[in-house]
Amino acid sequence: MNAPVVRGACPALSAPMQTGDGLLVRLSPTDGSLTPEALAGLAEAAFRHGNSILEVTARGSLQLRGLEPATVGPLADDVAALGIEPREGVPVELPPLAGLDPEEKADPRPLAAAVRAELARLGLAARLGAKVSVVVDGRGRLGLDDVPADLRFEAVREDEAVVWRLSIGGTAADAALLAFVAEADAAAVAALVLGAVAGLGLQGRGRHLSPPMLRSLLVRHTESNHEPDRIRYDRSRHIAALGSDCRASISPVGIHLLRDGRAALGVSLPFGQIEASRLAGFAAAAAAAGAAEIRPAPGRALLALPLGTSRASELQALAPRFGLIGDAADPRLHLAACPGSPACASGHAAARTLAEQLSTLAGAMLDGSFSVHVSGCAKGCAHPAAAGLTLVGRPDGIGLLVGGKASDMVEVRLPHGEIRHGFARLAGLYREARRPGEDAAACLARLGPGRIADAFRGQP
């Protein structure tokens, strides 16, 4: 087994990461799916070899915690015996209902397979940083708009044809648009762009590349293949396609109809974490309901499918029994929290315990119009972007930021024992100040950072 990797790398079975509660391993099945029996077996392996805690990350990967150097090898043996094939090489990520989503403009699986094959043929993974990734999104109901990637392909329908919008370095909202690519050319184009990323070294990312330089590279590629019309760069088309294709983010939690009339049930792990016996119990209940597979999904969720709609409703009602969230209105879905201390050696606060308490204190304030991030330290691993409210653990207390990231300078700091009282005061201010028809984001914006900070401090 390789030595534990440093933070910032990807903790695969062959290279686990040292954390405060032992070694951590991240696992993504190659096809994005597990049978209920395999998921239950993985939960049992987490109990035998780790600390019995499993997680689903914001990107939809599985994590096992609390391993020791001597137990990683037996875990790998169990994973192989369960028939789970861990993903290797450059991650090429698909929406959780790829190929089954009735709203997809195109099935993204063939293109993703072609991209994986081309990148593997060229051996690009060895020349790229561990966090470099590709998204191939058919633009269905459950997409990957909020998942950042170095390279994005998104299906766009033009009359009866489908082309793939190519962009780099971000989410669907902020990635730099480059071109429209025919599916036959997309794998070669992906290799070309990621080859340019590799040329920047192991720290290189898609966002570090210049879009004009990449367009010149693609022009030379098409000209050398004598097919200059296969890749298009008309910016007016980019803008038109983007404007007609924007969509609100949809939670994976709840019941989603599939292309064949059956359904998938999405459940969320509270703050991304579950105890092994509870996960095994849910897997068994899903199998009894008729589910053939369970897919980890972005948003720290699991999708059980395919199910009859009545069986999906029955399984949804059972979700709380296993400590899972089956209701898309649950306020905990709007709270992001890392493990924090003591699980993470960098943590200065027990972030998930605190987040659970805050979700109760918040009441109606967590209405989905804004997000709350509880971070054990300034790294902000659970929610790297800015949040409506961010609470971040510091050696001398917990800091509050309004509309900022965990790494930003804190606006107010309270002792650890006072933060719950501060949050309760803010929830009380919201109840008093909210106007009819006003959501929480609008109310807090109207109150402003100063009054929010004063509420936390307990000042009038």
Side-chain angles (χ1 to χ4, degrees):
M1 186 188 73
N2 296 339
V5 298
V6 298
R7 270 184 193 282
C10 290
L13 268 172
S14 59
M17 175 188 290
Q18 184 66 54
T19 65
D21 58 354
L23 297 175
L24 177 146
V25 161
R26 187 172 299 157
L27 181 67
S28 296
T30 296
D31 63 357
S33 174
L34 298 165
T35 65
E37 294 76 17
L39 183 60
L42 189 62
E44 292 165 7
F47 176 81
R48 286 195 301 272
H49 306 305
N51 63 3
S52 199
I53 297 297
L54 296 96
E55 298 172 326
V56 177
T57 70
R59 299 182 75 95
S61 295
L62 289 165
Q63 291 186 163
L64 285 73
R65 304 190 69 94
L67 298 161
E68 300 176 1
T71 63
V72 175
L75 171 65
D77 293 339
D78 284 355
V79 168
L82 290 166
I84 301 172
E85 183 180 349
R87 183 177 64 196
E88 296 180 349
V90 179
V92 180
E93 299 177 273
L94 289 165
L97 293 181
L100 303 174
D101 194 321
E103 297 182 23
E104 279 181 336
K105 293 176 173 58
D107 184 345
R109 294 174 299 176
L111 175 53
V115 170
R116 289 190 190 104
E118 182 66 6
L119 300 184
R121 184 183 71 83
L122 297 173
L124 271 175
R127 298 165 48 204
L128 291 165
K131 289 188 175 291
V132 171
S133 66
V134 179
V135 155
V136 183
D137 191 342
R139 304 294 285 172
R141 176 178 174 81
L142 292 185
L144 298 179
D145 285 19
D146 297 331
V147 175
D150 296 86
L151 183 64
R152 306 183 70 86
F153 288 105
E154 296 167 300
V156 176
R157 183 165 290 279
E158 295 184 343
D159 299 324
E160 297 302 315
V162 171
V163 295
W164 295 86
R165 185 171 59 228
L166 170 66
S167 56
I168 58 165
T171 64
D174 58 22
L177 295 165
L178 294 180
F180 292 105
V181 183
E183 184 160 330
D185 299 293
V189 166
L192 196 67
V193 174
L194 290 184
V197 175
L200 302 175
L202 293 179
Q203 300 304 313
R205 302 299 300 271
R207 63 180 180 272
H208 299 150
L209 295 173
S210 160
M213 180 275 290
L214 282 178
R215 291 191 189 102
S216 296
L217 186 67
L218 295 178
V219 167
R220 292 196 297 271
H221 167 75
T222 56
E223 288 176 346
S224 66
N225 286 282
H226 307 291
E227 293 178 334
D229 296 328
R230 295 289 291 273
I231 303 176
R232 303 196 312 275
Y233 312 94
D234 185 339
R235 182 158 181 79
S236 64
R237 283 179 174 269
H238 280 304
I239 294 170
L242 183 65
S244 64
D245 206 26
C246 288
R247 56 193 176 172
S249 179
I250 295 176
S251 171
V253 175
I255 296 173
H256 307 277
L257 291 180
L258 304 179
R259 193 183 298 277
D260 63 2
R262 291 183 291 179
L265 171 67
V267 296
S268 178
L269 285 63
F271 317 116
Q273 191 173 85
I274 191 170
E275 198 277 327
S277 63
R278 288 185 154 192
L279 181 59
F282 174 74
E293 56 182 299
I294 297 177
R295 299 184 178 187
R300 301 178 174 89
L302 297 169
L303 287 163
L305 64 130
L307 300 165
T309 53
S310 62
R311 300 304 296 270
S313 296
E314 293 167 4
L315 185 60
Q316 183 181 33
L318 290 175
R321 180 182 301 180
F322 305 107
L324 293 162
I325 300 171
D327 180 4
D330 193 297
R332 291 173 292 176
L333 295 174
H334 311 302
L335 270 162
C338 62
S341 62
C344 176
S346 300
H348 299 296
R352 283 183 175 147
T353 300
L354 179 58
E356 187 73 51
Q357 295 168 337
L358 299 187
S359 69
T360 302
L361 293 171
M365 188 169 67
L366 290 178
D367 61 1
S369 62
F370 78 112
S371 59
V372 177
H373 177 201
V374 184
S375 182
C377 73
K379 293 180 181 179
C381 300
H383 189 83
L389 293 174
T390 297
L391 292 90
V392 55
R394 306 278 178 169
D396 57 347
I398 295 180
L400 165 71
L401 299 108
V402 180
K405 299 183 290 186
S407 58
D408 293 340
M409 184 71 68
V410 297
E411 299 166 25
V412 59
R413 185 180 290 111
L414 290 179
H416 287 272
E418 286 295 313
I419 197 68
R420 288 173 290 277
H421 302 295
F423 200 83
R425 288 191 291 268
L426 175 59
L429 174 63
Y430 166 74
R431 288 193 296 272
E432 295 171 2
R434 179 178 175 270
R435 295 170 178 170
E438 189 176 45
D439 64 23
C443 179
L444 294 179
R446 179 170 52 81
L447 292 172
R451 288 193 68 186
I452 291 171
D454 287 344
F456 264 86
R457 293 190 189 98
Q459 297 177 352

